[in-house]
Amino acid sequence: MKKEEIKDSEYVIEVNNVSKKFCKNIKRLMIYGLVDVIKGVLNFKTHAEQLRRDEFWALRNISFNVRKGEAVGLIGLNGSGKSSLLKLINGIFLPDVGEIIVQGKTGALIEAGVGFHPSLTGRENIYLNGTILGMKKNEIDKRFNDIVNFAEIKEFLDTPIKNYSSGMVVRLGFSIAVQSAPDILLIDEILAVGDLAFQKKCFEKIEALRHDSKVTIVFVSHDMDNIRRVCDRCVFLDRGKVKMIDETDIVASEYFA
Amino acid sequence: MTIYSSESIYRLGIKNIIWMMFSDFRKGKELIWRLFLRDFTSRHKQSILGWLWIVLMPLMTMGTFLLLNMSGIIKIGRIDIPYPIFGLVSFSIWNIFSNGLVTTTNSVTGAGGLVQKINFSKDSLVFASFGQVVIDFLIRMGLTVGIFLLYGKMPPLSFFLFPIVLLPLAFLTLGIGMIASLLQAISKDIVSFVNLGTGFLLLLMPIMYSADQAGILGKLNSINPLYYLVIVPRDIILYGEVRHLTGFILSGILGFLVFIFGWMFFYLSQTKLAERI
């Protein structure tokens, strides 16, 4: 796609008829994975639409689009497929059927402390995690003070992260993710770990990112107050299928019904 | 724009996939370096002997072989240089393969949540883990120079060819390591097989000894590419002499092909890995 087309495109995330299957049996899961790769390389048909023994659909025929600067919530009961869908949008998993088109750099906060090494100091982990999230060293150098100040860990910068509280770890993880200048920020429930003051600070930052930098947000949470606070629209998932897509208040009413 | 679909990468064809692998490697150099630094910094943090292990391992292996030699169980054979030099260089070269394989095999499963929760090139983990093996080797080579000087000898000029002559062995190790790291995600037995297999090979191949092998063992070694990739560089490093050049070149080509195949297989399977760890 040409640059002009990217600029003019209405949507930054397009989820087109996506299905994802998983396997309950761990050994069979790996064998299927190997078979699929070999078939793919040799250009054989993979019959992705069909379920094999012990497989089940975690997500089925999911379609929706997200505009630039929009905040969309993914809601649903446990096991409805919210986190799997977030991982598909992030490219961690690939769809078995359908496709997801993403325009721009994606930042993800899927679990607090992922990418941190417990024995390394806060300073060392900022460089490690920043690089894993796609930042260059000079970008990290430039944003280092902002990361530290936002996370409020200045006096613990040279302390191994294993001695941090869970709140400090989340603060640092969130701070690095937002400073990595994503066009799309995927957030999975992790803000619940921080204290109320930090949660407030995070939501203000998310608002600022949306309005000042037109960052697109995809937010997964069970907390409908937080969903209402952040999201314009919601995708309500039920057992791997889209039950409803609409404005947040309308979907919230259905969710509680 | 990025398109995520189950078949998008296969549609590109093998040539373009290999081009993408190298392009991603170039773009991911900084990440490999950071992961290498992470492992390097944290490696001996909770170990009492720490870096001493790098020296202790070859000393213990050499001691075992000397003991077996004195007991008449193994014939070390005629060696034209002091055994500590021979043993240390041989062990260090062998360790590129044996420890390299163990380290790369564990690299992906050891990363756990990182693989499942963040989208990045997972092959960076394998390359970065191999960096630790390279560091160990360089430290041991420095130690070898010291032992040469202790014996009042200078290492031959060919000694310093080691980065070139060991490249085929490194390629073979990385190629097998890429595949083994995938298999390790299926079954935790793989690393035990690797340990068992490399332990056997150390005894069966004339690595810590120089005695000529006859019979079935000699025949097996003559068709074993690993034999040429270990023995030929060792002879070049220690004596500046080249034996079995054809075997070395053919094994080197094989090592490079295994590397490309292993890397490609890993590259194509990495999203499947995230679902399975």
Side-chain angles (χ1 to χ4, degrees), chain A residues 10-64:
Chain A
E10 191 183 356
Y11 302 114
V12 289
I13 302 171
E14 293 174 55
V15 179
N16 299 324
N17 199 29
V18 163
S19 296
K20 181 72 193 166
K21 57 188 175 186
F22 290 129
C23 182
K24 286 178 268 187
N25 181 301
I26 186 87
K27 291 272 183 322
R28 202 159 278 135
L29 177 89
M30 294 308 302
I31 293 162
Y32 291 158
L34 286 176
V35 169
D36 290 347
V37 171
I38 293 166
K39 279 184 170 176
V41 173
L42 299 175
N43 220 7
F44 288 168
K45 243 182 137 59
T46 52
H47 303 288
E49 274 281 3
Q50 292 162 11
L51 291 178
R52 291 165 287 193
R53 194 173 158 195
D54 284 332
E55 283 186 330
F56 66 96
W57 292 111
L59 290 165
R60 194 71 174 133
N61 300 327
I62 308 287
S63 295
F64 66 93

Side-chain angles (χ1 to χ4, degrees), chain A residues 86-94 102 104-110 114 129 131-134 186, chain B residues 2-4 24 31 113-122 124 270-271 274:
Chain A
L86 207 66
K87 286 179 182 173
L88 285 163
I89 296 170
N90 197 17
I92 297 170
F93 298 165
L94 288 182
V102 176
K105 184 180 168 188
T106 309
L109 275 164
I110 290 184
V114 170
N129 207 283
T131 312
I132 291 171
L133 293 179
L186 311 174
Chain B
T2 313
I3 300 174
Y4 299 120
D24 282 356
L31 175 60
L114 192 62
V115 175
Q116 281 181 308
K117 308 273 165 74
I118 300 180
N119 183 11
F120 70 106
S121 288
K122 276 77 178 176
S124 310
Q270 53 185 327
T271 50

